[in-house]
Amino acid sequence: MNQASLVATQASRWRQFYQLTKPRVVQLIVFCAVIGMALAIPGWPSGPEWGVILAATAGIWLVAGAAAAFNCLIEEQIDAKMKRTAWRPTAKGELSRPQTLAFSALLCAVGSAILWVWVNPLTMWLTFATFVGYAVIYTVILKPLTPQNIVIGGASGAMPPVLGWAALRGEVGPEALMLCLIIFLWTPPHFWALALYRTEDYAKAGLPMLPVTHGSEFTRLQVLLYTWVLLAATLLPFLTGMSGWIYLAAALVLGLRFCHYAWRLWRQYSDELARATFRFSIWHLSLLFAALLLDHYLTPLWA
């Protein structure tokens, strides 16, 4: 093998490991954690706080990537049966189980060490608990056993703002728990919209997702109900004085738009609409938390 071929092979292998971390999912997780960090302190971060933010971001990113890689390891055979996930390196047999396990363990160990040494032990333990919640409790136990897997398992996916808050404050405050509640309620309509147009995939893989066990109409009704409950929850930061009018306007516009998608999905289903609802749900959460950040820095300037 010549030098060019060797470099190409090594680059391909690194891409395979990178894909194991589910980069797009982890990016949203880290984004929500960073928002939690920013909201935990008044004004712009000081010099030492910037160091904590960078260390916490790196640590959370690594542990989240480790959880994603472990998920790929556990669901190797399931992923191979589903069109949506058949491309993953583990499903295609490009990476062995020992390689994937070692990679996941390395990321988790390095990320946890960073959080312990340069952030604080509370953030490390909360992040590790999130790893266990997603990679073990959700992936191994809940996902193959109950159609409520997304609801129950959503608790671990809702933790990023709490991790960010704990990194800067060294404690878990009610404000962080409000943000956690928002993501917890956002998760079911987000994933069920995906499951609706991937029902055959989940059925083929033997996973008891809600559209498989209870049908499309029941699932669509649940999506609609959750979006309205979610809208109410997104108002809490404003009602408790955590945020101002900028955030309120964004929460109402985004929330009502999400409800409108869910209403249309319930009344007249199509795979295209389910895909559009799923895509919008990602924008909904991203823009909602971005509005929180914008409000946090701009509202005091007008006070």
Side-chain angles (χ1 to χ4, degrees):
M1 182 180 294
N2 58 40
Q3 185 66 25
S5 298
L6 180 60
V7 171
T9 300
Q10 291 175 338
S12 176
R13 181 51 55 91
W14 281 113
R15 281 195 297 270
Q16 291 165 1
F17 279 115
Y18 180 64
Q19 288 168 355
L20 286 181
T21 65
K22 301 182 181 178
R24 288 186 294 180
V25 175
V26 170
Q27 285 168 10
L28 184 57
I29 290 172
V30 173
F31 174 71
C32 292
V34 170
I35 299 299
M37 298 177 209
L39 297 179
I41 52 177
W44 290 97
S46 63
E49 288 169 341
W50 275 115
V52 174
I53 289 173
L54 291 174
T57 301
I60 292 169
W61 198 311
L62 288 170
V63 177
F70 191 81
N71 172 268
C72 290
L73 171 67
I74 297 300
E75 297 191 337
E76 176 183 351
Q77 296 182 355
I78 293 175
D79 286 345
K81 298 176 183 178
M82 301 176 63
K83 294 178 181 179
R84 185 175 69 89
T85 55
W87 59 268
R88 289 176 179 166
T90 44
K92 294 172 65 177
E94 295 173 339
L95 293 173
S96 68
R97 296 178 67 83
Q99 285 175 322
T100 304
L101 180 60
F103 178 67
S104 176
L106 177 63
L107 291 187
C108 187
V110 174
S112 297
I114 291 173
L115 294 174
W116 180 277
V117 175
W118 286 290
V119 184
N120 58 60
L122 175 61
T123 305
M124 190 282 290
W125 285 117
L126 287 174
T127 306
F128 182 73
T130 302
F131 172 93
V132 174
Y134 174 72
V136 180
I137 297 176
Y138 168 69
T139 302
V140 179
I141 301 174
L142 295 175
K143 192 172 182 179
L145 292 181
T146 171
Q148 291 299 310
N149 45 30
I150 290 300
V151 178
I152 305 170
S156 60
M159 285 294 290
V162 177
L163 306 180
W165 189 276
L168 270 295
R169 287 284 187 95
E171 63 179 11
V172 176
E175 298 91 343
L177 294 178
M178 275 192 294
L179 303 182
C180 179
L181 175 63
I182 289 172
I183 301 179
F184 177 77
L185 294 172
W186 168 87
T187 302
H190 164 71
F191 274 104
W192 285 336
L194 168 68
L196 279 166
Y197 67 88
R198 294 289 188 182
T199 302
E200 291 184 7
D201 250 7
Y202 284 114
K204 183 179 179 181
L207 294 175
M209 298 300 288
L210 196 64
V212 177
T213 60
H214 289 69
S216 174
E217 185 175 356
F218 180 82
T219 304
R220 284 159 24 220
L221 177 60
Q222 297 304 302
V223 170
L224 176 63
L225 295 176
Y226 263 95
T227 54
W228 281 105
V229 176
L230 172 62
L231 174 60
T234 60
L235 302 182
L236 289 175
F238 175 79
L239 295 175
T240 58
M242 181 182 178
S243 63
W245 293 99
I246 296 174
Y247 169 76
L248 177 63
L252 287 173
V253 171
L254 292 168
L256 290 172
R257 183 61 173 159
F258 201 178
C259 290
H260 182 245
Y261 268 106
W263 171 261
R264 292 171 58 204
L265 198 64
W266 180 53
R267 296 295 295 174
Q268 192 170 11
Y269 177 80
S270 71
D271 283 353
E272 292 75 16
L273 183 56
R275 287 189 180 90
T277 303
F278 173 74
R279 288 194 297 267
F280 177 79
S281 69
I282 299 173
W283 280 108
H284 172 275
L285 187 65
S286 302
L287 293 175
L288 186 75
F289 273 70
L292 265 173
L293 185 63
L294 192 64
D295 186 282
H296 180 68
Y297 290 118
L298 290 185
T299 296
L301 299 178
W302 301 340

